[in-house]
Amino acid sequence: MSFIELLKNRADMLPNDSIQADIYVFTLQGKKYVLKLYKKYENHGGDILAGLSHDNIVKLYDHGYHRGHQYLIMDFVEGEPLSYITDDIEKQLRDLLAYLQSKGVEHHEFKPAHLILNAESRVKLIDFGIATSPEYELNTTLSSETNKKYGTIDVKAVEAIIAELRAQ
């Protein structure tokens, strides 16, 4: 029995959407690793990964061919794929923007610095300092007295852009 077959027999196969490879997780000396065994697909990923070492890149321990199929052995990375997180965040942002629109609220500084992702992976919008609504318009008195503009110069609310275009 080969080393790869031994690993496969000791490993749990991970469910995945890939038609290109089977992914197995195994533990050696208390540490989790991944065996990625390609079905038919051949690529240079293992060769490229072997030449890389960076904190934000999975560590590769071995790669090669087993019975004509390419394999990679690398660290197991705990967590969710970014696509899962970004899909969830995108849905939260759509819901948030729909809610603000339904209330007639214009934030005027909707930007990444004002969106916080909390420990429960919930997006929270902060800093309503220059927000307006049908009940509360922006107080421009301070702005005209000090010759300063409200908000962040390099960020303009979509509502402001639309209003400017309509005015033209």
Side-chain angles (χ1 to χ4, degrees), residues 73-92:
I73 298 175
M74 55 196 140
D75 276 337
F76 176 75
V77 179
E78 197 77 46
E80 295 292 335
L82 192 55
S83 60
Y84 171 81
I85 295 169
T86 56
D87 289 348
D88 182 52
I89 290 171
E90 180 183 342
K91 181 189 179 316
Q92 290 183 52

Side-chain angles (χ1 to χ4, degrees), residues 6-42:
L6 283 171
L7 289 179
K8 278 178 57 177
N9 290 337
R10 293 188 57 184
D12 295 320
M13 188 171 180
L14 288 181
N16 70 76
D17 295 335
S18 174
I19 60 170
Q20 300 172 355
D22 290 327
I23 300 172
Y24 301 88
V25 176
F26 62 95
T27 304
L28 286 176
Q29 299 177 343
K31 185 172 176 179
K32 286 185 176 182
Y33 299 90
V34 168
L35 166 64
K36 187 170 187 177
L37 187 57
Y38 287 92
K39 297 173 185 175
K40 295 179 182 175
Y41 183 72
E42 225 176 286

Side-chain angles (χ1 to χ4, degrees), residues 92-105:
Q92 290 183 52
L93 292 175
R94 279 195 315 268
D95 292 347
L96 169 63
L97 291 170
Y99 175 77
L100 291 174
Q101 185 177 23
S102 75
K103 297 292 186 179
V105 173

